[in-house]
Amino acid sequence: MISPNELFSVSGKTAVITGGTRGIGFDMAMALVSNGATVFVSSRKENAVASAVEELAKHGTAYGFAADLGTVEGAKLLADFVSSKTDKVDILVNNAGATWGATLEEFPEEGWDKVMNVNLKGPFFLTQKMLPLLKEAASKEQPAKIINVASVEGMRAGQMETYSYGASKSALIHLTEHLALQLAGRNITVNAIAPGPFATKMMAGTIQMAGEDTIAGMVPLKRLGQSEDLYAMVLYLGSPASNYVTGQTIALGGGLGTVA
């Protein structure tokens, strides 16, 4: 019988994590590299990439590349960089994200387009550009894995006036299902994580405005998400433990998006 260590192992895997220099993305990169995976992280800022790679490299092999993944050109540049270092990608984590808040009367086109480009267009075109590397890693016995980072805001209407954010994440959940159907025959699974509130840089403004206790009070489990919650999820979805799971969105919000 296979042991839990083997079942949840990512040792020897190659993983790409967008938005992997801070917050949720960095936590997932740390979980993977600390358990034997080679990781590539990206973000728009070169100094953030360099700092993250320096920290990740203390635990294993890590590379970084600065790219704007809200553009097709940025997706191609990242895929080309990864291709220069490896001939396969076992795990692609589409985590890079953006948000924008404004009243309905004042919400700008710029805020709509920026969020949609990063949160929806980016994952689609990076998946497209990474397909050759994913197919090289994929087999019936050991599928390659795509993990999209959605949000509980994409599972139900939120109270914040972040209109393009919730819409983009809802669309990403649908895209996850569509890609899962299309890629199953190529031995690539596609699943999504839908986080609730975590104490990340993206959430910092909301937490400061509303207060951490108020935000935590909205969660049925009455707390914000912790790094360990992400470690467990990415190891599950990136390892053989999830080989027979595809097209699913798993809410990681302490009950938000599912019971509240």
Side-chain angles (χ1 to χ4, degrees), residues 39-109:
V39 300
F40 291 78
V41 295
S42 74
S43 80
R44 288 182 299 107
K45 298 179 180 178
E46 290 187 4
N47 59 341
V49 169
S51 178
V53 169
E54 181 180 5
E55 187 62 30
L56 292 166
K58 296 175 184 178
H59 304 273
T61 304
Y63 301 97
F65 188 78
D68 179 0
L69 296 178
T71 68
V72 176
E73 180 62 20
K76 183 179 184 303
L77 288 172
L78 176 57
D80 288 346
F81 174 77
V82 175
S83 295
S84 74
K85 302 291 184 183
T86 182
D87 59 0
K88 70 179 180 69
V89 168
D90 301 278
I91 306 163
L92 170 61
V93 182
N94 286 309
N95 167 72
T99 190
W100 195 293
T103 65
L104 180 59
E105 292 82 1
E106 298 176 346
F107 205 96
E109 182 179 12

Side-chain angles (χ1 to χ4, degrees), residues 5 10 12-13 32 44 50 57-58 84 88 99 104 110-111 113 126 144 175 180 182 188 206 216 243 259:
N5 286 342
V10 293
K13 304 287 188 183
L32 292 167
R44 288 182 299 107
K58 296 175 184 178
S84 74
K88 70 179 180 69
T99 190
L104 180 59
E110 176 190 3
D113 290 345
L126 184 59
L175 181 63
Q182 293 296 321
I188 300 170
T206 301
N243 280 355
V259 300

Side-chain angles (χ1 to χ4, degrees), residues 21 57 71 91 168 194 219:
T21 63
T71 68
I91 306 163
S168 71
V219 178

Side-chain angles (χ1 to χ4, degrees), residues 78-167:
L78 176 57
D80 288 346
F81 174 77
V82 175
S83 295
S84 74
K85 302 291 184 183
T86 182
D87 59 0
K88 70 179 180 69
V89 168
D90 301 278
I91 306 163
L92 170 61
V93 182
N94 286 309
N95 167 72
T99 190
W100 195 293
T103 65
L104 180 59
E105 292 82 1
E106 298 176 346
F107 205 96
E109 182 179 12
E110 176 190 3
W112 185 271
D113 290 345
K114 176 184 177 180
V115 172
M116 286 293 178
N117 285 344
V118 176
N119 294 2
L120 187 60
K121 178 180 174 180
F124 178 80
F125 283 103
L126 184 59
T127 296
Q128 181 190 74
K129 303 306 179 190
M130 287 285 186
L131 266 181
L133 293 168
L134 289 161
K135 288 192 290 185
E136 194 64 32
S139 69
K140 199 166 205 175
E141 295 74 24
Q142 293 295 335
K145 310 294 182 77
I146 297 173
I147 304 169
N148 293 326
V149 179
S151 170
V152 295
E153 293 295 304
M155 304 180 84
R156 52 98 172 106
Q159 297 181 24
M160 303 289 182
E161 291 194 276
T162 51
Y163 299 101
S164 53
Y165 181 78

Side-chain angles (χ1 to χ4, degrees), residues 168-201:
S168 71
K169 293 302 187 177
S170 185
L172 183 59
I173 290 170
H174 185 275
L175 181 63
T176 296
E177 297 171 357
H178 199 165
L179 289 174
L181 181 61
Q182 293 296 321
L183 294 177
R186 306 186 206 186
N187 300 312
I188 300 170
T189 66
V190 190
N191 293 290
I193 301 170
F198 279 72
T200 63
K201 187 174 181 179

